[in-house]
Amino acid sequence: MNYKIRQYEMTSRRIVPLLVAFILSLSVVTVLFAQTDSTKQMMASGFAQTHAENVKSLNSSSDEAAPFLSADGNSIYFSSYRLNNRSALFSATRSSSTEWSAPKLLIELEGKQSISVLTVAADGRTAVVQCCNRPDGIYSTCDLYMGDLDGGELKNLRPFGAPINSEWWEGQPSISSDGQLLFFSSDRKHGEGGSDIYMMTRNSAGDWSEPVNLKINTGSNEVSPFIASDNQTLYFASDRSGGQGGYDIYVTYRKGDNEWSEPKNLGAAVNTKSNELFFSIPSREDAVYVSSDREGGQGGFDIWKIVPNPVKPKPKFIAFSGRVLDAVTGQPIATNADVSINISATGEAITNTGSAKNYKADVPIGKPIRVTAMADGYASGNVEVQTPDAFDPNGFSQDIKLNPSKVRIVGHTTDLFTNKKIADAKVTLEEIDANGNSLGTQSVQTDADAAFGFDAKVGAKYRIAASANEYQGYYQPLDDIPLKREASVTVPKEIRMTPNEIKPITVNFETAKYDLMPSQLPQFNDFIRRVKDNPYVKLEVQGYTDERGSEELNRVLSEKRAKAVQDYLQSQGVPANQLAVVKGYGKSNPLDPSSNEEAWRKNRRCEIRIVGK
């Protein structure tokens, strides 16, 4: 596992392999205090709602292990090999509630000596450490030492002596919160196998009993004990079979002097396929600490802490969406809508983040909201919605349906010159598509008041025609139905019919030409005479093309054709003030929508008609 504490631990009895050498070369004692409520909940849940974080400010490319936190939680001590490839003690202080300052060297021993981990008793002064290769040790192995922590310095190291220390390895002590129990690890003879955990008790005179081998030990290695603040819960590491891999952290509960529950593996939330050692519960932090060489560290063994997952705040809002639909067709409305959303009780506005026809918003849970939509060509509408009482990641939706405006086209048929009402005229409304093709017609006869009326649709296109005895036929496109945000829309259309005494004329043109053909001129003679005889009339000249070619070119060509007719009429004595409208309409309003030469010939034209007084 690439942990170079030493190649081998030599004793008078045997050679300890590399992994065991790491375990046996460190020690930890923790003075325990009450755990935080969050830590209790975290452990009670089996660490199901936790995650591990590398304490990067403490770790290096070397090995760091066995963290111990002071009673006030403001200092942390740990062992590291970052100096001279020998274990020394380092300390750090909190820079925030969860972060630590850069580590500083606490103590380093001379020569081949090493010191592993500092732990402090409840008085804040009495310290216990593990030292190796000291001349005052037993056979110069690793033993437990007492010391004094004074003003941030560790002084007066002295060995525990027998029967705690022996010619074998002893280390990793953990003292109970009341100071009456002491646990440590040792590979001394007559154990269960490998390294075992031992326990001692302290009498009223302050003397320690003989170490007792715990019944939780196996033929594998049990190391790094940690006794919790209740004096009953013991955490330790073991490489016994059935774990996650390497050394795992286990927990057991004391039921008698040396009676313990069956140890339980803390599971994948704490343990990995790598090695986990030195489980520790700080007194004043919502976390537990562990040493591990798992993936994602900075090198070898690192100090990790296991913390609760962030508590996600209970959502206060839920995603809301909907569509603005046509109440008749059930399809999205034809025009764009303005949608407003607010809390019904207070009127507080909620921002619509959607489009003109598909609204979206984050709305408060468990509140009634109102959605109001307004759109051109539709009556405004609203809908009341009670939002769910519980959060749903999928959100919820509610469409709003708008009724199309009821359109009524109304008007009268009258004489263009006398304003006389024309009763019993036949008026026809024809719906057309974008290409001018008929989609259906409806016809009515005007009443005695010369009135007519039609129901129409918003957004549709129409042509309107009228016929009556002694009057020229009337045939005109109807301006687009106005898009109002009203339930009812009235479209006035007054039809002014020209008496037959001055009939309109139509002249045709050759392809792409705008000059008048001589063959077309004779039909002007009677028209011009009658116009001169009626100087009160106004004329309209409308130029058209066939549908071939671009919109722009055809518009220009149609204007030139209308101008050619205007020039001719004026050359024949028609006053300019009688020419009310001279306009080119391009390829719109074809007389024959067919695509053949005959239809094109008909559509290349100018229409000259009487339009008013």
Side-chain angles (χ1 to χ4, degrees):
M1 62 182 178
N2 194 27
Y3 192 84
K4 298 180 179 179
I5 293 179
R6 54 177 171 262
Q7 294 298 319
Y8 296 97
E9 175 69 36
M10 300 297 296
T11 69
S12 60
R13 304 291 182 90
R14 55 180 172 159
I15 298 176
V16 181
L18 183 61
L19 176 60
V20 177
F22 161 69
I23 298 168
L24 303 185
S25 64
L26 297 176
S27 65
V28 59
V29 171
T30 305
V31 180
L32 298 170
F33 296 86
Q35 303 161 17
T36 65
D37 290 339
S38 296
T39 305
K40 289 180 180 178
Q41 294 173 6
M42 182 170 62
M43 292 188 291
S45 69
F47 299 95
Q49 304 298 323
T50 60
H51 65 279
E53 296 178 357
N54 187 284
V55 189
K56 294 183 178 180
S57 60
L58 303 181
N59 296 316
S60 70
S61 58
S62 296
D63 298 289
E64 284 76 31
F68 162 70
L69 281 82
S70 62
D72 61 9
N74 293 325
S75 299
I76 189 170
Y77 306 94
F78 62 94
S79 176
S80 177
Y81 272 68
R82 65 184 70 189
L83 294 178
N84 302 321
N85 203 32
R86 287 186 296 109
S87 178
L89 293 179
F90 290 80
S91 66
T93 57
R94 285 195 185 275
S95 56
S96 70
S97 61
T98 58
E99 299 296 329
W100 297 97
S101 66
K104 296 181 178 179
L105 178 66
L106 178 66
I107 186 172
E108 179 184 25
L109 299 183
E110 297 178 350
K112 295 183 179 180
Q113 300 178 59
S114 65
I115 186 168
S116 298
V117 168
L118 169 70
T119 180
V120 185
D123 60 6
R125 178 180 178 86
T126 303
V128 180
V129 293
Q130 177 188 327
C131 298
C132 298
N133 302 319
R134 283 180 63 86
D136 55 357
I138 301 178
Y139 289 101
S140 297
T141 60
C142 294
D143 291 329
L144 299 180
Y145 284 71
M146 299 289 293
D148 299 318
L149 188 62
D150 185 10
E153 295 183 10
L154 185 60
K155 305 175 181 178
N156 193 25
L157 294 179
R158 51 200 185 277
F160 262 82
I164 296 176
N165 293 329
S166 69
E167 70 270 25
W168 297 81
W169 170 85
E170 284 83 31
Q172 306 170 356
S174 175
I175 193 168
S176 63
S177 57
D178 60 5
Q180 301 305 303
L181 297 175
L182 182 64
F183 297 82
F184 66 96
S185 298
S186 178
D187 65 350
R188 63 183 64 194
K189 62 181 179 180
H190 306 310
E192 294 295 327
S195 297
D196 288 349
I197 295 175
Y198 291 81
M199 179 183 70
M200 300 183 301
T201 60
R202 198 174 193 178
N203 61 27
S204 59
D207 299 323
W208 293 99
S209 66
E210 291 282 341
V212 176
N213 188 292
L214 296 189
K215 293 183 179 180
I216 62 170
N217 294 312
T218 67
S220 299
N221 293 293
E222 281 72 40
V223 295
S224 65
F226 176 86
I227 184 67
S229 59
D230 60 4
N231 288 357
Q232 306 295 320
T233 306
L234 182 70
Y235 297 89
F236 65 94
S238 177
D239 62 355
R240 63 183 65 188
S241 62
Q244 301 287 325
Y247 277 83
D248 282 359
I249 304 298
Y250 289 79
V251 63
T252 181
Y253 304 96
R254 189 182 183 193
K255 301 188 293 184
D257 288 342
N258 190 18
E259 297 295 328
W260 301 86
S261 67
E262 182 67 24
K264 180 181 179 181
N265 190 297
L266 291 189
V270 174
N271 298 312
T272 67
K273 64 182 179 180
S274 300
N275 298 285
E276 280 71 41
L277 301 153
F278 304 109
F279 185 89
S280 178
I281 305 174
S283 60
R284 299 184 181 182
E285 184 179 1
D286 296 337
V288 296
Y289 285 75
V290 68
S291 300
S292 176
D293 60 352
R294 65 182 67 188
E295 294 182 359
Q298 303 196 75
F301 274 80
D302 280 356
I303 297 172
W304 296 74
K305 65 178 180 179
I306 299 170
V307 298
N309 291 335
V311 178
K312 295 182 179 179
K314 186 177 181 180
K316 296 182 179 179
F317 296 89
I318 187 170
F320 170 60
S321 62
R323 302 171 297 169
V324 184
L325 302 179
D326 187 303
V328 175
T329 66
Q331 299 299 312
I333 61 173
T335 58
N336 288 332
D338 291 326
V339 178
S340 61
I341 306 171
N342 58 56
I343 300 174
S344 300
T346 64
E348 179 183 351
I350 299 173
T351 301
N352 172 23
T353 60
S355 65
K357 298 180 184 180
N358 297 275
Y359 47 88
K360 295 180 180 179
D362 289 331
V363 297
I365 291 174
K367 297 283 187 180
I369 61 171
R370 176 189 291 264
V371 182
T372 302
M374 296 182 291
D376 293 341
Y378 292 86
S380 300
N382 60 74
V383 62
E384 293 278 347
V385 183
Q386 178 67 37
T387 65
D389 292 329
F391 178 74
D392 185 340
N394 297 317
F396 77 107
S397 63
Q398 174 66 57
D399 297 334
I400 185 171
K401 296 182 178 180
L402 301 183
N403 289 305
S405 301
K406 293 182 178 180
V407 179
R408 186 72 177 167
I409 300 173
V410 297
H412 301 82
T413 52
T414 57
D415 187 292
L416 175 63
F417 304 118
T418 66
N419 290 327
K420 175 185 174 182
K421 295 179 180 179
I422 304 173
D424 202 30
K426 182 181 179 181
V427 183
T428 300
L429 186 70
E430 181 183 23
E431 185 180 356
I432 59 175
D433 64 16
N435 297 318
N437 300 314
S438 179
L439 299 176
T441 61
Q442 49 181 316
S443 299
V444 296
Q445 296 292 129
T446 57
D447 59 18
D449 196 37
F452 65 88
F454 295 100
D455 291 329
K457 296 183 293 187
V458 170
K461 293 181 177 296
Y462 293 95
R463 286 192 289 246
I464 194 165
S467 61
N469 292 332
E470 300 181 357
Y471 285 88
Q472 298 175 17
Y474 182 94
Y475 185 77
Q476 286 290 320
L478 188 66
D479 292 338
D480 289 342
I481 304 299
L483 298 176
K484 297 182 179 180
R485 297 181 175 185
E486 300 173 2
S488 298
V489 176
T490 300
V491 180
K493 178 60 181 177
E494 297 299 319
I495 296 178
R496 310 279 285 168
M497 300 189 72
T498 304
N500 282 333
E501 58 192 69
I502 303 180
K503 295 182 180 179
I505 62 173
T506 299
V507 294
N508 297 98
F509 297 82
E510 293 182 344
T511 302
K513 299 293 182 64
Y514 57 88
D515 53 312
L516 291 170
M517 294 182 292
S519 62
Q520 299 285 323
L521 299 180
Q523 63 179 309
F524 279 97
N525 296 336
D526 184 69
F527 180 85
I528 292 172
R529 181 184 60 80
R530 295 176 70 86
V531 168
K532 289 180 178 180
D533 291 342
N534 295 279
Y536 56 84
V537 300
K538 296 291 186 182
L539 304 182
E540 179 182 35
V541 181
Q542 299 177 348
Y544 297 94
T545 69
D546 60 37
E547 67 268 35
R548 296 174 296 176
S550 69
E551 290 281 354
E552 179 61 20
L553 290 177
N554 280 310
R555 183 187 61 78
V556 172
L557 179 58
S558 67
E559 290 175 349
K560 289 181 177 180
R561 287 173 176 171
K563 182 67 167 57
V565 170
Q566 177 189 23
D567 292 342
Y568 180 76
L569 290 173
Q570 289 183 267
S571 72
Q572 299 301 309
V574 176
N577 62 1
Q578 283 189 265
L579 294 167
V581 179
V582 180
K583 187 175 181 180
Y585 292 89
K587 56 184 178 180
S588 64
N589 301 320
L591 294 178
D592 188 344
S594 305
S595 296
N596 54 61
E597 187 58 41
E598 180 61 18
W600 296 333
R601 186 191 65 78
K602 293 179 182 178
N603 295 333
R604 297 191 299 267
R605 71 195 190 280
C606 271
E607 297 177 1
I608 308 99
R609 68 181 74 244
I610 304 299
V611 294
K613 292 183 180 180

